[in-house]
Amino acid sequence: MSLRERPSLPSLKRELLWGFALISTGAISLAVVTAVIALALPVGMATVGMVLLIGTDVAVLFLFSRHLLTKLVLRPVTDLAAAADAVAAGNLEARAGPGATTEFAFLAERVNRMTDHLLEAQDEIVRSEKLASVGRLAAGIAHEVG
């Protein structure tokens, strides 16, 4: 299934663009509010008030940006990496969970498909080893009979 065939999940690109548009709008709004408040402050308090308001604005925007990136990018990447690590450690029953966005759902599907192919390859190797053992046994018996 391709990326475009998943209409039920939001796109990571769209979610990030909307999130950063919201952050930009918030930054501009906070800048205007800060300027209005600074004008209302007494002259001696204006500098200190501006520094505190700008610091607060930056902290709020930083925390929202961090939340957005963690929710949309870092947590899904960590989940996929955990599933891949479990498979690499030998747990071929581990599966990547469904992603919250189209791109991560697509990637999780690919990781799970790769794990399924590893299981099939492992089954094929076991089958081959069994046939080889039977062949060696038959050759030993034929040698003893001969």
Side-chain angles (χ1 to χ4, degrees), residues 31-88:
V32 169
V33 169
T34 301
V36 169
I37 291 173
L39 291 174
L41 290 175
V43 176
M45 294 278 303
T47 304
V48 174
M50 279 292 282
V51 169
L52 289 175
L53 287 170
I54 290 172
T56 304
D57 295 348
V58 169
V60 167
L61 293 173
F62 172 78
L63 291 173
F64 182 72
S65 299
R66 181 174 176 232
H67 167 73
L68 185 67
L69 284 174
T70 299
K71 176 185 160 197
L72 294 176
V73 178
L74 299 178
R75 191 172 299 132
V77 167
T78 302
D79 293 345
L80 279 172
D85 287 343
V87 170

Side-chain angles (χ1 to χ4, degrees), residues 2-132:
S2 73
L3 283 175
R4 297 188 190 276
E5 295 174 0
R6 298 178 188 278
S8 62
L9 293 175
S11 165
L12 178 62
K13 180 173 81 173
R14 184 176 304 132
E15 291 292 312
L16 284 173
L17 285 174
W18 278 110
F20 287 122
L22 182 63
I23 290 170
S24 300
T25 303
I28 292 169
S29 300
L30 286 174
V32 169
V33 169
T34 301
V36 169
I37 291 173
L39 291 174
L41 290 175
V43 176
M45 294 278 303
T47 304
V48 174
M50 279 292 282
V51 169
L52 289 175
L53 287 170
I54 290 172
T56 304
D57 295 348
V58 169
V60 167
L61 293 173
F62 172 78
L63 291 173
F64 182 72
S65 299
R66 181 174 176 232
H67 167 73
L68 185 67
L69 284 174
T70 299
K71 176 185 160 197
L72 294 176
V73 178
L74 299 178
R75 191 172 299 132
V77 167
T78 302
D79 293 345
L80 279 172
D85 287 343
V87 170
N91 180 7
L92 295 181
E93 300 302 317
R95 293 290 182 263
T101 61
T102 305
E103 294 82 0
F104 281 112
F106 182 76
L107 188 56
E109 180 183 315
R110 293 296 192 243
V111 167
N112 291 337
R113 185 181 302 171
M114 177 191 66
T115 304
D116 291 339
H117 288 308
L118 285 173
L119 276 171
E120 291 170 8
Q122 185 182 38
D123 290 344
E124 193 66 32
I125 289 170
V126 168
R127 200 172 311 120
S128 297
E129 287 176 354
K130 285 179 182 178
L131 287 174

